Amino acid sequence: MANIVVVGAQWGDEGKGKVVDVLTPFVDLIVRYQGGNNAGHTVVIGKEKFVLHSIPSGILRPGKRGVIACGVVVDPASLLEEMAQLERRGITLQGRLVISKNAHLILPYHRLLDEADEARLGTRRIGTTARGVGPAYTDKAARIGIRAGDLLDEALFREKLQANLQLKNAILQSVYNVPPVRLEEILPAYLRFGEALAPYLRDTTILLNEALDAGASILFEGAQGTMLDVDHGTYPYITASNTTAGGASTGTGVPPTKIHGVLGVAKAYTTRVGEGPFPTEVGGELGDLLRGRGNEYGATTGRPRRCGWLDVVVLRHAMRVNGCGTLALTKLDVLDALSTVKIAVGYRYGQTVLRDFPLEDRVLAGSEPVYEEWPGWQSSTAGLRHLEELPPKARDYVERLAALTEREVSLISTGAVREETIISEGSLLTRWFPGAQSLPVSPR
Ligand code: IMP
């Protein structure tokens, strides 16, 4: 039984939700290890579309257990709303969803600080999702965070909240000129949230390790992507957590020695939402075409995503820092109409061609991507389920990507629904999940 991390190889929105959904039948537990409700994982089942923000997308498969582990930051109001929406749509959560008592809470002052700080930054803003995720992680590192388990002890929760409000209100008022948050206005609601979440709160580190000891297998569902990692991404234009595969261990308490492999997920082109460097970004008609065909609008905020060509400099970095054994390629069909497709293989900086993503902003800003141009296939790949059906030029594109990243592409997603998936026979993916060979999977 393989325990595998599914990680985004770009700036998020690679289609991890669909990939996780496809692989869920072959594991017992699906675990979110970082991020919060800044994520938006879209899964389409038949004619139904689900967008999940904090709950692992594996929960949509009957009988599977979903875990929100200690590395995640939880906004109780938003999580309970997401839970209620799933229940209304017939997805039962009792006994299947578990939330770590050690997950830190996103509280109203985090959201206010997120927004106020973006306004302060002005043109240097990050372009956050304004969900309070960054400020909640800030408090975790500052050792003043309040955790989900604290909701279960009224006196303790009140004491911690009161102490934090003193500090946060002083900052909100004097630095940002924002009205304070009153304890009595929020406490009752949070105590109710605590009661509602109580049946789901557990020590998930023990739960996960005991499950592994009993022979269960885990899929770790990353949120955002490598280039948004707080250490390995385009700092400071990042999210505040370790999105990379190492985060799966620190964010769950499952030791690295029990994780068997990493599947990198990359889109056939690149997108980014929010501010920050994006070397292969294209504007104009081509950018609009990718955005339109790929429906590139944020699943959480609805913001239009910036679009550009596939960037192998980024992908090689992602392969390295995550230790990706193999790649899943998504949204290949979005490129179907193009007469030429480009892949960035390096960045030209003065007289040199850089093969690695530069650390210095100055170097990155002064660089131009070096592209390989490939003929487009100009025929539909939408919905294809077998490798042999791919137009030869589309196959060349995939094979070139594999050669450049030195990774086999073991899964190609050709559409939003589960069945629109190609799994490469005999690939590492099918060695991890022997049953995956029998895909396409049947509808729920
Ligand atoms: P935050 O995570 O809300 O603090 O936002 C920090 C940066 O990460 C911004 O550029 C966001 O647009 C980006 N970001 C956060 N979550 C996602 C996601 O799920 N997909 C893509 N970008 C994201």
Side-chain angles (χ1 to χ4, degrees), residues 16-324:
K16 297 177 292 294
K18 148 128 190 212
V19 172
V20 166
D21 177 64
V22 165
L23 297 177
T24 294
F26 312 108
V27 297
D28 302 294
L29 295 128
I30 303 86
V31 183
R32 267 286 301 272
Y33 57 87
Q34 45 72 227
N37 56 329
N38 47 354
H41 293 170
T42 306
V43 179
V44 180
I45 306 172
K47 290 193 165 46
E48 276 194 274
K49 178 171 161 182
F50 294 86
V51 181
L52 296 151
H53 298 288
S54 296
I55 299 176
S57 32
I59 204 79
L60 300 174
R61 298 266 191 185
K64 303 294 171 180
R65 287 206 287 169
V67 177
I68 298 176
C70 57
V72 176
V73 285
V74 170
D75 180 328
S78 150
L79 175 60
L80 284 164
E81 176 55 28
E82 191 175 332
M83 289 165 66
Q85 280 181 16
L86 287 179
E87 295 270 7
R88 277 198 293 276
R89 296 175 72 176
I91 312 283
T92 52
L93 300 174
Q94 275 281 1
R96 294 207 302 131
L97 177 67
V98 187
I99 303 158
S100 170
K101 285 184 179 172
N102 277 1
H104 280 249
L105 295 176
I106 303 176
L107 292 154
Y109 49 82
H110 293 129
R111 287 192 298 272
L112 293 173
L113 287 165
D114 198 345
E115 275 179 29
D117 207 50
E118 285 282 274
R120 177 188 69 85
L121 285 167
T123 54
R124 289 181 299 117
R125 70 186 180 281
I126 309 299
T128 71
T129 59
R131 298 293 188 268
V133 168
Y137 278 115
T138 304
D139 281 3
K140 174 177 174 171
R143 295 163 293 188
I144 57 166
I146 305 181
R147 304 198 280 193
D150 295 333
L151 286 169
L152 304 178
D153 181 336
E154 182 173 339
L156 181 74
F157 180 68
R158 171 193 286 271
E159 189 188 313
K160 289 190 175 184
L161 189 59
Q162 202 156 26
N164 278 2
L165 283 175
Q166 257 179 20
L167 172 68
K168 302 296 175 182
N169 282 338
I171 298 171
L172 281 170
Q173 287 174 283
S174 62
V175 179
Y176 299 108
N177 206 17
V178 169
V181 178
R182 306 263 173 230
L183 178 77
E184 56 282 7
E185 278 170 18
I186 62 167
L187 184 65
Y190 279 81
L191 294 176
R192 277 199 308 279
F193 296 154
E195 274 171 33
L197 289 176
Y200 300 91
L201 292 174
R202 293 275 295 275
D203 180 333
T204 56
T205 302
I206 291 184
L207 179 140
L208 290 171
N209 281 286
E210 284 184 352
L212 288 175
D213 290 345
S217 62
I218 298 179
L219 198 60
F220 297 88
E221 176 175 343
Q224 294 86 44
T226 302
M227 299 308 276
L228 289 171
D229 183 283
V230 64
D231 288 299
H232 305 290
T234 44
Y235 193 88
Y237 298 96
I238 45 91
T239 192
S241 61
N242 281 116
T243 58
T244 45
S249 186
T250 53
T252 60
V254 172
T257 45
K258 290 190 179 164
I259 298 178
H260 303 112
V262 181
L263 171 66
V265 184
K267 204 145 43 178
Y269 49 102
T270 312
T271 62
R272 167 163 211 171
V273 58
E275 307 303 319
F278 181 179
T280 62
E281 182 170 15
V282 292
E285 268 180 35
L286 182 60
D288 291 344
L289 182 133
L290 292 173
R291 190 172 306 106
R293 282 185 61 91
N295 190 26
E296 296 296 354
Y297 296 89
T300 297
T301 58
R303 290 181 290 176
R305 295 179 185 141
R306 300 156 64 191
C307 297
W309 295 115
L310 192 62
D311 188 339
V312 165
V313 181
V314 164
L315 293 185
R316 274 198 302 259
H317 173 66
M319 298 305 101
R320 185 184 293 136
V321 296
N322 294 299
C324 296

